[in-house]
Amino acid sequence: MNLSPSPVLSNSFRMETVGMDALMVRLFDAIDEAHMPWILAADKALRERLGEALIDLVPSYTTLLVHYDVETLSQIEASRLIREALQNLQPASTAAGREHRIPVWYDDSVGPELSRIAERRNVDTDEIVRRHSGRDYCAFALGFSPGYAFMGMIEEALATPRLKTPRQKVAAGSVGIAERQTAIYSMRSPGGWNILGRTAVKLFDRERDEISLFRPGDRVRFEPISREAFIEQGGDTTPLEER
Amino acid sequence: MATSKDMQTAQQTTRATSGSLVVERTGPLALIQDAGRFGVRHLGVAQGGALDWISLGWANWMLGNAPGAAGIEIAIGGLVLKAERTLRLAIAGADLGATRDGEPLATNGSFMLEQGQVLAFDQPKAGLRAYLALPGGIGAEPFMGSLSTVAREQLGGLDGFGSALQIGDRLVAAKASSETRDMPSVAAMPQDEAVLELVTGAQIAHFDGASLFAAFNQAWQVDSRADRMGVRLTGPELRCQMGGMVSEGIPLGAVQVPPDGQPIILLNDRQTIGGYPRLGALSPIACARLGQCAPGTTIRLSPVTPHQARTRYRHQLALWQ
């Protein structure tokens, strides 16, 4: 049996060769929050079935990358375990992901795009804050930097393209939007998202048992707070550099 | 990589103070690296680890260490170390003109560095990265199971925050003494040309036929835009019919093709997910070779199946059993 390079169809998912020791499990083709219970269920089932032979499992919006141990498994064996794991898969309950409330100081000094987006839409900044903090978001995938979660979907009316020129430095805790997604910068890094505010919550904290606050599938809600509350929580009020 | 388990045991060895090196001068980039960080990519944490894991493996092998025990990855040269106490060391990989108190050392070999003696790396004669092993590996606190330094993520290394080696840093061997084994002769470092095996797959079906022919039949050049995250190749323009792609996990060695048609091979410090179509991924052995290819090196890509790549990979691991 030669799996490479054509996709193997089995039930409702595809399995694709992506490297010597990696198979891509593709469950869906487009981004949709409704997919997450399936991705989470697949994540759990694959971890259980592959056990010690699993080196890394990277879930994303529509896929799970399975990096397995080639010292113990051939590709044929790995693909058999994956098929077994995903047989009769049932979506995880929405309670499978944890819930987080993230306090955010929405302000132009730390979120320069707040008023720009408001102006462009002819509303005041409070309206933007109300809309951004008015719904739960789903953490689709972690990446870009440790603990950084790609979350969505934000309201269609808030959707904004990335900055044409990314900033060289975006402060840790910066809360941004891009297209219909939102995220928090987990560490100071370059970045091109539109920044609306800042949180004092640490997304990646080596002093904490759970080093990464978020895991794929978690649900997140932003909570507007005052400057005073932000400072009380240990927030850094240094204005965000323009570029 | 599969050797991760060996490495973790190496790092858990108790810290000893029987031999240590002090950094007297740093070159462009000298980093503590082991096999990498595993089981944490779903948290957005990069794999990290030695680019040329084969040379790190040989340096460790000469001292009886696990192949993925932490050592120093010395890129381009320039590093100068002084022994505070006498200890046995091993080097493998690129020829960076290493000397002991000014006397040339073999490119691949183990040697004693007596108290007060100086080990210096000059500049590349063949290959790019040399690996230095200490008895038992380097005694330091691993973060998320690894000492690998990932500067971009501020993780790993001596301080745990991703710093490269600094003047005055003290490297402590994890064990008091070590075995000594002679290294068999191995493949020479790539000079002007390298053939790299690519496990085909991923979005390869979405590239047009002429592009696929070109990818495997024309020469590529290693671009100067190359680091531990990725190496850009320049050559024929590859065309992919795929429109937008949803970001997905990226394996080591992934050969991604952004809209400009010039591939980028993603290495150990790559981000965990990405959204450009890929031809597949280099085999781990090819990734190790690429880590030794200087800008301007001619690359030829050779398609292989996962089975072929795995056979060669396991053969390499078996040499260290």
Side-chain angles (χ1 to χ4, degrees):
Chain A
M1 185 164 77
N2 184 6
L3 296 175
S4 168
S6 57
V8 174
L9 285 163
S10 171
N11 297 335
S12 55
F13 68 91
R14 281 173 284 161
M15 219 189 302
E16 300 161 3
T17 296
V18 291
M20 176 196 76
D21 51 5
L23 284 160
M24 190 70 74
V25 174
R26 192 173 301 284
L27 293 178
F28 305 102
D29 291 314
I31 299 177
D32 191 329
E33 284 177 272
H35 294 159
M36 275 323 277
W38 291 96
I39 299 279
L40 283 185
D43 184 278
K44 185 163 179 279
L46 289 166
R47 282 183 191 282
E48 282 171 7
R49 193 75 191 87
L50 274 89
E52 285 285 292
L54 185 68
I55 291 182
D56 257 299
L57 180 61
V58 190
S60 187
Y61 305 88
T62 55
T63 53
L64 298 106
L65 174 69
V66 181
H67 177 186
Y68 58 90
D69 187 350
V70 288
E71 287 192 75
T72 54
L73 295 180
S74 69
Q75 192 189 49
I76 290 166
E77 289 160 341
S79 58
R80 189 193 319 124
L81 289 178
I82 291 169
R83 260 194 304 275
E84 285 169 9
L86 302 183
Q87 253 171 20
N88 307 318
L89 192 69
Q90 293 300 314
S93 75
T94 44
R98 299 164 308 168
E99 289 188 19
H100 307 273
R101 294 187 84 84
I102 304 293
V104 178
W105 176 40
Y106 290 94
D107 190 84
D108 269 331
S109 65
V110 292
E113 275 71 59
L114 181 61
S115 56
R116 276 175 218 160
I117 289 171
E119 274 163 35
R120 219 172 296 154
R121 285 167 182 70
N122 235 342
V123 295
D124 59 20
T125 55
D126 287 351
E127 178 68 8
I128 302 294
V129 171
R130 206 173 54 73
R131 285 170 178 254
H132 184 255
S133 60
R135 56 163 78 183
D136 287 352
Y137 298 114
C138 172
F140 293 117
L142 271 68
F144 179 64
S145 63
Y148 183 106
F150 292 86
M151 299 181 277
M153 312 286 282
I154 64 171
E155 266 183 65
E156 188 92 59
L158 278 186
T160 309
R162 285 174 174 74
L163 301 176
K164 285 205 179 73
T165 312
R167 289 186 170 86
Q168 295 291 321
K169 284 172 195 156
V170 179
S174 295
V175 176
I177 60 174
E179 305 302 343
R180 290 198 61 196
Q181 295 193 66
T182 184
I184 307 167
Y185 282 81
S186 61
M187 54 178 50
R188 194 175 79 159
S189 63
W193 289 41
N194 303 275
I195 308 300
L196 308 180
R198 194 177 291 174
T199 181
V201 172
K202 282 187 177 173
L203 295 197
F204 195 80
D205 183 356
R206 58 182 81 207
E207 305 302 325
R208 196 167 51 204
D209 280 350
E210 290 262 3
I211 295 174
S212 172
L213 183 67
F214 296 151
R215 283 189 303 224
D218 284 359
R219 303 200 70 80
V220 177
R221 195 171 178 113
F222 296 106
E223 217 170 53
I225 55 166
S226 65
R227 182 174 194 273
E228 288 69 35
F230 177 69
I231 292 169
E232 203 168 297
Q233 291 169 8
D236 176 0
T237 56
T238 311
L240 192 66
E241 290 173 39
E242 270 302 287
R243 284 291 179 269
Chain B
M1 214 145 303
T3 48
S4 59
K5 281 163 199 158
D6 303 335
M7 307 208 162
Q8 281 162 13
T9 49
Q11 278 145 21
Q12 281 152 10
T13 319
T14 47
R15 206 184 286 199
T17 51
S18 53
S20 59
L21 296 167
V22 178
V23 178
E24 299 224 306
R25 214 178 72 202
T26 59
L29 196 59
L31 301 170
I32 296 185
Q33 296 294 346
D34 54 24
R37 225 161 246 115
F38 295 93
V40 289
R41 290 228 300 279
H42 63 293
L43 303 177
V45 177
Q47 175 176 340
L51 291 192
D52 181 359
W53 56 275
I54 299 176
S55 293
L56 174 67
W58 279 122
N60 277 320
W61 187 84
M62 285 186 269
L63 299 184
N65 298 344
I72 311 293
E73 177 177 280
I74 303 142
I76 324 287
L79 182 72
V80 177
L81 302 162
K82 188 174 190 173
E84 283 193 319
R85 300 191 207 182
T86 300
L87 79 171
R88 180 165 286 278
L89 300 171
I91 54 174
D95 181 356
L96 300 182
T99 55
R100 175 178 53 188
D101 274 358
E103 293 297 317
L105 289 163
T107 306
N108 297 299
S110 83
F111 54 92
M112 292 300 289
L113 196 66
E114 307 285 341
Q115 186 174 0
Q117 281 190 319
V118 169
L119 170 64
F121 295 86
D122 187 22
Q123 52 182 337
K125 297 189 168 76
L128 276 185
R129 292 177 169 91
Y131 291 84
L132 173 70
L134 280 67
I138 292 170
E141 204 56 54
F143 178 71
M144 286 183 145
S146 167
L147 282 176
S148 283
T149 313
V150 182
R152 182 173 53 82
E153 297 188 342
Q154 299 156 31
L155 299 181
L158 270 191
D159 63 356
F161 289 90
S163 301
L165 289 189
Q166 308 290 319
I167 292 173
D169 278 353
R170 190 162 268 108
L171 302 166
V172 177
K175 273 192 194 164
S177 61
S178 64
E179 304 171 35
T180 29
R181 295 192 280 215
D182 288 331
M183 184 170 150
S185 62
V186 293
M189 286 290 117
Q191 295 277 15
D192 305 324
E193 189 163 321
V195 177
L196 302 181
E197 295 190 332
L198 192 165
V199 177
T200 55
Q203 290 75 33
I204 194 166
H206 297 274
F207 287 81
D208 70 28
S211 292
L212 289 182
F213 185 84
F216 295 107
N217 290 281
Q218 290 196 34
W220 295 96
Q221 308 294 323
V222 174
D223 193 68
S224 59
R225 290 165 294 177
D227 59 21
R228 290 185 39 87
M229 275 182 82
V231 173
R232 195 177 269 271
L233 302 183
T234 56
E237 187 181 328
L238 304 181
R239 286 180 304 271
C240 180
Q241 281 106 11
M242 214 175 180
M245 193 181 132
V246 178
S247 285
E248 59 187 38
I250 319 172
L252 177 69
V255 182
Q256 72 170 22
V257 182
D260 69 0
Q262 301 292 279
I264 302 172
I265 298 172
L266 297 170
L267 297 175
N268 301 56
D269 288 2
R270 70 196 181 280
Q271 295 181 8
T272 55
I273 62 173
Y276 289 125
R278 309 184 302 273
L279 295 171
L282 293 191
S283 72
I285 290 176
C287 289
R289 299 287 287 169
L290 182 61
Q292 297 290 6
C293 291
T297 305
T298 298
I299 298 285
R300 290 183 182 276
L301 298 173
S302 168
V304 294
T305 64
H307 177 72
Q308 290 168 315
R310 178 185 186 229
T311 303
R312 274 162 229 176
Y313 176 69
R314 295 178 84 198
H315 174 72
Q316 179 61 51
L317 297 186
L319 296 177
W320 296 326
Q321 293 302 308

